[in-house]
mmCIF file of all heavy atoms in Angstrom:
data_model
loop_
_atom_site.group_PDB
_atom_site.id
_atom_site.type_symbol
_atom_site.label_atom_id
_atom_site.label_comp_id
_atom_site.label_asym_id
_atom_site.label_seq_id
_atom_site.Cartn_x
_atom_site.Cartn_y
_atom_site.Cartn_z
ATOM 1 N N PHE A 331 -30.528 -10.161 -25.948
ATOM 2 C CA PHE A 331 -30.764 -8.785 -26.399
ATOM 3 C C PHE A 331 -30.036 -7.787 -25.514
ATOM 4 O O PHE A 331 -29.379 -6.864 -26.007
ATOM 5 C CB PHE A 331 -32.266 -8.499 -26.394
ATOM 6 C CG PHE A 331 -32.605 -7.064 -26.707
ATOM 7 C CD1 PHE A 331 -32.584 -6.594 -28.005
ATOM 8 C CD2 PHE A 331 -32.929 -6.175 -25.680
ATOM 9 C CE1 PHE A 331 -32.892 -5.268 -28.293
ATOM 10 C CE2 PHE A 331 -33.236 -4.860 -25.954
ATOM 11 C CZ PHE A 331 -33.216 -4.400 -27.261
ATOM 12 N N PHE A 335 -25.959 -4.700 -25.738
ATOM 13 C CA PHE A 335 -25.582 -3.382 -25.216
ATOM 14 C C PHE A 335 -24.552 -3.491 -24.100
ATOM 15 O O PHE A 335 -24.020 -2.481 -23.645
ATOM 16 C CB PHE A 335 -26.824 -2.660 -24.697
ATOM 17 C CG PHE A 335 -27.857 -2.436 -25.757
ATOM 18 C CD1 PHE A 335 -28.837 -3.389 -25.996
ATOM 19 C CD2 PHE A 335 -27.842 -1.296 -26.541
ATOM 20 C CE1 PHE A 335 -29.796 -3.195 -26.979
ATOM 21 C CE2 PHE A 335 -28.786 -1.102 -27.532
ATOM 22 C CZ PHE A 335 -29.759 -2.053 -27.761
ATOM 23 N N PRO A 352 -22.438 -0.619 -18.976
ATOM 24 C CA PRO A 352 -23.546 0.335 -18.833
ATOM 25 C C PRO A 352 -24.425 -0.006 -17.633
ATOM 26 O O PRO A 352 -24.875 -1.146 -17.490
ATOM 27 C CB PRO A 352 -24.316 0.178 -20.144
ATOM 28 C CG PRO A 352 -23.395 -0.545 -21.078
ATOM 29 C CD PRO A 352 -22.520 -1.386 -20.227
ATOM 30 N N LEU A 353 -24.691 0.969 -16.798
ATOM 31 C CA LEU A 353 -25.538 0.733 -15.631
ATOM 32 C C LEU A 353 -26.976 0.405 -16.029
ATOM 33 O O LEU A 353 -27.671 -0.321 -15.323
ATOM 34 C CB LEU A 353 -25.512 1.959 -14.711
ATOM 35 C CG LEU A 353 -24.220 2.169 -13.915
ATOM 36 C CD1 LEU A 353 -24.338 3.416 -13.045
ATOM 37 C CD2 LEU A 353 -23.907 0.957 -13.052
ATOM 38 N N VAL A 354 -27.426 0.918 -17.181
ATOM 39 C CA VAL A 354 -28.783 0.615 -17.614
ATOM 40 C C VAL A 354 -28.914 -0.880 -17.926
ATOM 41 O O VAL A 354 -29.968 -1.484 -17.687
ATOM 42 C CB VAL A 354 -29.184 1.471 -18.838
ATOM 43 C CG1 VAL A 354 -28.351 1.121 -20.052
ATOM 44 C CG2 VAL A 354 -30.666 1.294 -19.152
ATOM 45 N N VAL A 355 -27.844 -1.489 -18.432
ATOM 46 C CA VAL A 355 -27.872 -2.925 -18.697
ATOM 47 C C VAL A 355 -27.769 -3.707 -17.393
ATOM 48 O O VAL A 355 -28.437 -4.736 -17.215
ATOM 49 C CB VAL A 355 -26.738 -3.319 -19.658
ATOM 50 C CG1 VAL A 355 -26.738 -4.826 -19.906
ATOM 51 C CG2 VAL A 355 -26.884 -2.578 -20.978
ATOM 52 N N LEU A 510 -18.036 7.604 -26.421
ATOM 53 C CA LEU A 510 -18.734 7.283 -25.181
ATOM 54 C C LEU A 510 -20.036 8.061 -25.069
ATOM 55 O O LEU A 510 -21.041 7.546 -24.563
ATOM 56 C CB LEU A 510 -17.824 7.593 -23.985
ATOM 57 C CG LEU A 510 -18.316 7.119 -22.608
ATOM 58 C CD1 LEU A 510 -18.521 5.614 -22.607
ATOM 59 C CD2 LEU A 510 -17.329 7.516 -21.521
ATOM 60 N N CYS A 511 -20.040 9.291 -25.561
ATOM 61 C CA CYS A 511 -21.276 10.084 -25.541
ATOM 62 C C CYS A 511 -22.348 9.447 -26.425
ATOM 63 O O CYS A 511 -23.536 9.389 -26.049
ATOM 64 C CB CYS A 511 -20.984 11.512 -26.013
ATOM 65 S SG CYS A 511 -19.993 12.492 -24.857
ATOM 66 N N VAL A 512 -21.947 8.958 -27.602
ATOM 67 C CA VAL A 512 -22.898 8.266 -28.478
ATOM 68 C C VAL A 512 -23.436 7.017 -27.783
ATOM 69 O O VAL A 512 -24.642 6.718 -27.833
ATOM 70 C CB VAL A 512 -22.223 7.903 -29.811
ATOM 71 C CG1 VAL A 512 -23.154 7.042 -30.669
ATOM 72 C CG2 VAL A 512 -21.819 9.156 -30.565
ATOM 73 N N ARG A 513 -22.550 6.303 -27.117
ATOM 74 C CA ARG A 513 -22.963 5.096 -26.405
ATOM 75 C C ARG A 513 -23.964 5.438 -25.308
ATOM 76 O O ARG A 513 -24.942 4.714 -25.097
ATOM 77 C CB ARG A 513 -21.719 4.414 -25.814
ATOM 78 C CG ARG A 513 -21.990 3.062 -25.153
ATOM 79 C CD ARG A 513 -20.695 2.476 -24.610
ATOM 80 N NE ARG A 513 -20.913 1.212 -23.929
ATOM 81 C CZ ARG A 513 -20.862 0.025 -24.516
ATOM 82 N NH1 ARG A 513 -20.611 -0.049 -25.804
ATOM 83 N NH2 ARG A 513 -21.062 -1.070 -23.814
ATOM 84 N N ARG A 514 -23.743 6.544 -24.610
ATOM 85 C CA ARG A 514 -24.656 6.950 -23.539
ATOM 86 C C ARG A 514 -26.050 7.272 -24.099
ATOM 87 O O ARG A 514 -27.069 6.991 -23.469
ATOM 88 C CB ARG A 514 -24.094 8.174 -22.819
ATOM 89 C CG ARG A 514 -22.864 7.892 -21.979
ATOM 90 C CD ARG A 514 -23.230 7.148 -20.708
ATOM 91 N NE ARG A 514 -22.065 6.985 -19.853
ATOM 92 C CZ ARG A 514 -21.357 5.862 -19.767
ATOM 93 N NH1 ARG A 514 -21.684 4.825 -20.530
ATOM 94 N NH2 ARG A 514 -20.319 5.772 -18.968
ATOM 95 N N VAL A 515 -26.094 7.862 -25.280
ATOM 96 C CA VAL A 515 -27.390 8.165 -25.907
ATOM 97 C C VAL A 515 -28.150 6.875 -26.189
ATOM 98 O O VAL A 515 -29.354 6.762 -25.909
ATOM 99 C CB VAL A 515 -27.186 8.977 -27.199
ATOM 100 C CG1 VAL A 515 -28.513 9.114 -27.950
ATOM 101 C CG2 VAL A 515 -26.617 10.346 -26.882
ATOM 102 N N PHE A 516 -27.462 5.872 -26.732
ATOM 103 C CA PHE A 516 -28.115 4.595 -27.014
ATOM 104 C C PHE A 516 -28.544 3.898 -25.721
ATOM 105 O O PHE A 516 -29.592 3.239 -25.690
ATOM 106 C CB PHE A 516 -27.176 3.691 -27.817
ATOM 107 C CG PHE A 516 -27.185 3.972 -29.283
ATOM 108 C CD1 PHE A 516 -26.210 4.787 -29.851
ATOM 109 C CD2 PHE A 516 -28.159 3.437 -30.107
ATOM 110 C CE1 PHE A 516 -26.212 5.054 -31.222
ATOM 111 C CE2 PHE A 516 -28.177 3.700 -31.475
ATOM 112 C CZ PHE A 516 -27.198 4.511 -32.027
ATOM 113 N N GLU A 517 -27.751 4.049 -24.662
ATOM 114 C CA GLU A 517 -28.131 3.451 -23.386
ATOM 115 C C GLU A 517 -29.389 4.110 -22.832
ATOM 116 O O GLU A 517 -30.263 3.437 -22.265
ATOM 117 C CB GLU A 517 -26.972 3.578 -22.399
ATOM 118 C CG GLU A 517 -25.776 2.707 -22.757
ATOM 119 C CD GLU A 517 -24.548 3.051 -21.932
ATOM 120 O OE1 GLU A 517 -24.695 3.868 -20.986
ATOM 121 O OE2 GLU A 517 -23.465 2.519 -22.228
ATOM 122 N N LEU A 518 -29.482 5.431 -22.997
ATOM 123 C CA LEU A 518 -30.678 6.139 -22.552
ATOM 124 C C LEU A 518 -31.899 5.666 -23.342
ATOM 125 O O LEU A 518 -32.976 5.432 -22.769
ATOM 126 C CB LEU A 518 -30.481 7.644 -22.718
ATOM 127 C CG LEU A 518 -31.672 8.534 -22.325
ATOM 128 C CD1 LEU A 518 -32.009 8.351 -20.848
ATOM 129 C CD2 LEU A 518 -31.370 9.999 -22.626
ATOM 130 N N MET A 519 -31.730 5.501 -24.641
ATOM 131 C CA MET A 519 -32.830 5.010 -25.468
ATOM 132 C C MET A 519 -33.226 3.596 -25.053
ATOM 133 O O MET A 519 -34.419 3.255 -25.011
ATOM 134 C CB MET A 519 -32.422 5.031 -26.946
ATOM 135 C CG MET A 519 -32.201 6.436 -27.504
ATOM 136 S SD MET A 519 -31.449 6.419 -29.146
ATOM 137 C CE MET A 519 -32.665 5.512 -30.078
ATOM 138 N N LEU A 520 -32.232 2.772 -24.726
ATOM 139 C CA LEU A 520 -32.522 1.419 -24.262
ATOM 140 C C LEU A 520 -33.340 1.447 -22.986
ATOM 141 O O LEU A 520 -34.311 0.692 -22.827
ATOM 142 C CB LEU A 520 -31.217 0.653 -24.030
ATOM 143 C CG LEU A 520 -31.353 -0.727 -23.377
ATOM 144 C CD1 LEU A 520 -32.138 -1.679 -24.274
ATOM 145 C CD2 LEU A 520 -29.973 -1.306 -23.043
ATOM 146 N N GLY A 521 -32.969 2.334 -22.045
ATOM 147 C CA GLY A 521 -33.720 2.443 -20.803
ATOM 148 C C GLY A 521 -35.174 2.822 -21.035
ATOM 149 O O GLY A 521 -36.086 2.281 -20.387
ATOM 150 N N VAL A 522 -35.402 3.739 -21.972
ATOM 151 C CA VAL A 522 -36.776 4.152 -22.293
ATOM 152 C C VAL A 522 -37.559 2.977 -22.882
ATOM 153 O O VAL A 522 -38.717 2.737 -22.525
ATOM 154 C CB VAL A 522 -36.763 5.351 -23.259
ATOM 155 C CG1 VAL A 522 -38.178 5.669 -23.734
ATOM 156 C CG2 VAL A 522 -36.139 6.563 -22.585
ATOM 157 N N VAL A 523 -36.920 2.220 -23.793
ATOM 158 C CA VAL A 523 -37.590 1.070 -24.421
ATOM 159 C C VAL A 523 -37.937 0.014 -23.370
ATOM 160 O O VAL A 523 -39.055 -0.531 -23.352
ATOM 161 C CB VAL A 523 -36.693 0.467 -25.517
ATOM 162 C CG1 VAL A 523 -37.255 -0.873 -26.003
ATOM 163 C CG2 VAL A 523 -36.564 1.424 -26.686
ATOM 164 N N LEU A 524 -36.988 -0.309 -22.485
ATOM 165 C CA LEU A 524 -37.242 -1.303 -21.447
ATOM 166 C C LEU A 524 -38.373 -0.870 -20.524
ATOM 167 O O LEU A 524 -39.224 -1.684 -20.142
ATOM 168 C CB LEU A 524 -35.967 -1.557 -20.636
ATOM 169 C CG LEU A 524 -34.798 -2.215 -21.381
ATOM 170 C CD1 LEU A 524 -33.604 -2.377 -20.449
ATOM 171 C CD2 LEU A 524 -35.195 -3.568 -21.953
ATOM 172 N N ALA A 525 -38.386 0.422 -20.169
ATOM 173 C CA ALA A 525 -39.447 0.926 -19.294
ATOM 174 C C ALA A 525 -40.811 0.832 -19.984
ATOM 175 O O ALA A 525 -41.803 0.418 -19.364
ATOM 176 C CB ALA A 525 -39.145 2.367 -18.894
ATOM 177 N N TYR A 526 -40.860 1.191 -21.253
ATOM 178 C CA TYR A 526 -42.131 1.154 -21.985
ATOM 179 C C TYR A 526 -42.641 -0.289 -22.133
ATOM 180 O O TYR A 526 -43.830 -0.562 -21.902
ATOM 181 C CB TYR A 526 -41.952 1.793 -23.354
ATOM 182 C CG TYR A 526 -43.186 1.697 -24.227
ATOM 183 C CD1 TYR A 526 -44.296 2.506 -23.993
ATOM 184 C CD2 TYR A 526 -43.231 0.777 -25.277
ATOM 185 C CE1 TYR A 526 -45.430 2.408 -24.786
ATOM 186 C CE2 TYR A 526 -44.358 0.677 -26.080
ATOM 187 C CZ TYR A 526 -45.454 1.494 -25.826
ATOM 188 O OH TYR A 526 -46.577 1.381 -26.609
#
Side-chain angles (χ1 to χ4, degrees):
F331 174 78
F335 299 90
L353 287 180
V354 66
V355 178
L510 189 59
C511 290
V512 174
R513 186 180 178 91
R514 290 286 185 259
V515 172
F516 277 97
E517 291 169 8
L518 178 61
M519 294 170 60
L520 173 64
V522 173
V523 170
L524 294 179
Y526 175 75

